[in-house]
Amino acid sequence: MDIHEEMVSRLRNRKPGYSLDQPFYIDPAYHQQDLEQIWYKDWLFAGHDCEIPSAGNYFTVQVGAYSVIIVRGEDGAIRAMHNSCRHRGSRVCLEHRGSAAKLVCPYHQWTYDLDGSLLFARQMGEGFDTSAFGLKSVACETAGGYIFISLAEEPMDFAPFRAIMEPFFLPHRLRDAKVAYESTIIEKGNWKLVWENNRECYHCAGNHPELCKTFPEAPNVTGVSGAQDDPEIAAHWQKCEAAGLPSAFTMDENGQYRATRVPLLRDAISYTISGRKAVQIRLSDNVNMDRIGSLLLYHYPTTWNHVLSDHAVTFRVLPLSATETAVTTKWLVHKDAVEGIDYRLEELIHVWTETNDQDRRIVEDNARGIQSPAYEPGPYSPIHEGGVMQFIDWYAGFMEKRLSDRGRPALRSVA
């Protein structure tokens, strides 16, 4: 039995409502299939438009074996391309982010325009055709201030996600925001454990004292059902939608992405210990009230998000190995907000900095326990862990279909 057949067999025989078999969380061969079947095929959140506001601004992102450059061109367009020189394969951009008039490979100074076309390759002999050796492109789309990339040769249609996501996000004008702070932590656990932990608040009361001052633990907030039957949530949706802010729970038919707006506790405005706003300037000039709760967006496998009236907190998940995951958090504020005047950085980031570290510990303890020969799949709580079950069902369904089909789109090779 090859790895495809083995994984399909385990997925088909899994017990509904239970966690996955041990290899899905620790086995490098299983992890490689996760990369090939999901990470190298699906749309992945890379970063924000506002991170590269001017021509020549770029940042890089590493997805498995692929290093990708995201850059704004002279025409204002945002493009993505493989960070691999067409000469001998060296990385072209060595820094995580920067600004450059042209992209120059440090090895032999092959020089590329911001659209990836090769402009100059010194001493390559008479008749060398530069037009045949531009950087290889990566599919790139922007929506509501977010940049997504796809490594697939034939990417899936991005339009359905845009149709759901943009009505929720465009009023918040994240394209015009700025990143006030960014952090990346390495969690020593499989990327699916990071997501499982995120998809429930069953653990919150015992682990997240800072977050629990403002964020509700109710399963109809973190899960995928029951919100429409909660009078408080329904009233919150009605209030926000009357102000022009789409709010009602919306999920795509495959369960890969969804958005909704939820109230915070006790009329809190922001994720602060006091519940008061962290930033004195609203995130968007289009939003004219403070108590809008939190706009939640989930898009498997890379991102979950909280957008409030005064700031946004966005999260990006990237797998490093079968047992390591990078989680990058960015705090976005109005582009004109000034640190020390309009906000105190410590107050802005405190709740989620603490929560992230607490989640890191939880995931790592979970991962260590799963390493035990005694581990076997356990039951999720039908009351509190509906969101986890939905994530696992999404993962199992996608993987079983793709492993069975074997007819997956060809992947772009790294030059």
Side-chain angles (χ1 to χ4, degrees):
M1 183 183 297
D2 69 11
I3 187 66
H4 300 84
E5 294 169 340
E6 179 183 326
M7 292 181 74
V8 168
S9 176
R10 287 185 182 274
L11 290 169
R12 287 178 177 169
N13 291 308
R14 74 186 182 95
K15 193 171 183 178
Y18 277 63
S19 57
L20 295 169
D21 287 346
Q22 185 184 56
F24 287 98
Y25 299 117
I26 67 172
D27 191 314
Y30 277 50
H31 177 68
Q32 184 62 34
Q33 289 304 312
D34 280 0
L35 291 176
E36 293 180 9
Q37 305 302 334
I38 293 179
W39 293 88
Y40 295 167
K41 289 185 178 180
D42 287 288
W43 287 101
L44 310 174
F45 168 56
H48 295 284
D49 303 43
C50 67
E51 295 181 68
I52 46 174
S54 303
N57 293 164
Y58 71 85
F59 64 87
T60 61
V61 62
Q62 186 78 33
V63 183
Y66 294 87
S67 179
V68 179
I69 307 165
I70 293 94
V71 62
R72 191 178 291 271
E74 295 287 353
D75 58 358
I78 295 174
R79 297 179 177 85
M81 53 202 77
H82 287 286
N83 190 14
S84 181
C85 182
R86 294 297 307 281
H87 177 210
R88 286 169 55 189
S90 174
R91 286 191 303 161
V92 176
C93 295
L94 305 184
E95 302 298 326
H96 171 56
R97 65 176 67 252
S99 184
K102 306 297 178 188
L103 304 177
V104 182
C105 178
Y107 199 175
H108 300 96
Q109 290 74 56
W110 279 34
T111 302
Y112 301 89
D113 206 346
L114 298 178
D115 64 3
S117 58
L118 180 61
L119 297 175
F120 173 71
R122 65 186 180 87
Q123 299 179 5
M124 287 300 293
E126 199 172 321
F128 178 71
D129 182 9
T130 56
S131 67
F133 294 95
L135 294 175
K136 293 187 177 181
S137 64
V138 173
C140 182
E141 295 280 357
T142 62
Y146 286 64
I147 303 169
F148 283 79
I149 60 172
S150 174
L151 294 161
E153 187 72 36
E154 298 179 12
M156 295 185 297
D157 187 6
F158 189 77
F161 171 69
R162 186 194 303 279
I164 285 180
M165 184 265 202
E166 284 202 323
F168 282 92
F169 278 78
L170 287 177
H172 295 282
R173 296 182 59 179
L174 294 182
R175 289 193 185 99
D176 299 324
K178 68 178 180 181
V179 177
Y181 191 74
E182 173 181 342
S183 73
T184 296
I185 60 174
I186 308 302
E187 302 189 12
K188 295 180 180 178
N190 186 271
W191 69 274
K192 295 186 290 297
L193 292 180
V194 173
W195 267 107
E196 288 190 45
N197 175 64
N198 172 265
R199 295 311 314 117
E200 49 90 357
C201 220
Y202 192 21
H203 71 279
C204 289
N207 294 275
H208 296 320
E210 295 84 4
L211 182 62
C212 285
K213 290 184 179 297
T214 54
F215 187 72
E217 302 171 67
N220 56 7
V221 170
T222 57
V224 294
S225 62
Q228 68 277 4
D229 300 321
D230 185 311
E232 182 183 359
I233 294 177
H236 185 71
W237 290 349
Q238 184 177 17
K239 178 188 72 173
C240 291
E241 292 188 351
L245 301 174
S247 301
F249 181 90
T250 306
M251 182 165 67
D252 88 296
E253 61 182 10
N254 295 315
Q256 186 169 19
Y257 46 85
R258 61 187 180 275
T260 190
R261 204 178 299 271
V262 300
L264 299 182
L265 295 176
R266 295 176 291 279
D267 288 329
I269 296 173
S270 191
Y271 290 131
T272 57
I273 296 299
S274 67
R276 294 191 293 268
K277 62 177 68 175
V279 186
Q280 299 310 306
I281 300 178
R282 290 194 184 113
L283 179 61
S284 169
D285 300 333
N286 294 336
V287 178
N288 59 13
M289 60 184 189
D290 291 328
R291 290 181 172 86
I292 61 171
S294 181
L295 170 58
L296 308 181
L297 171 71
Y298 304 95
H299 188 298
Y300 304 145
T302 44
T303 188
W304 65 82
N305 304 262
H306 296 257
V307 182
L308 306 105
S309 61
D310 66 332
H311 73 281
V313 192
T314 71
F315 302 82
R316 186 186 67 197
V317 176
L318 289 174
L320 302 181
S321 71
T323 55
E324 286 186 310
T325 306
V327 178
T328 296
T329 308
K330 296 175 184 177
W331 287 260
L332 279 67
V333 301
H334 190 284
K335 63 181 179 180
D336 295 330
V338 178
E339 182 183 349
I341 298 176
D342 299 304
Y343 65 93
R344 292 189 301 109
L345 187 61
E346 171 59 26
E347 183 179 32
L348 175 68
I349 69 174
H350 177 71
V351 168
W352 278 107
T353 298
E354 295 299 310
T355 302
N356 284 348
D357 191 58
Q358 293 151 5
D359 280 331
R360 176 197 55 76
R361 174 184 53 77
I362 291 166
V363 168
E364 293 181 353
D365 288 343
N366 193 182
R368 280 191 286 266
I370 287 174
Q371 292 275 356
S372 169
Y375 167 80
E376 61 181 53
Y380 296 121
S381 164
I383 298 172
H384 289 280
E385 295 177 304
V388 186
M389 288 189 277
Q390 189 274 335
F391 166 69
I392 291 298
D393 287 345
W394 168 82
Y395 169 80
F398 265 47
M399 286 297 286
E400 181 180 336
K401 183 178 187 304
R402 292 176 178 184
L403 289 166
S404 299
D405 287 350
R406 306 281 187 95
R408 53 190 181 275
L411 304 178
R412 295 180 186 271
S413 60
V414 177

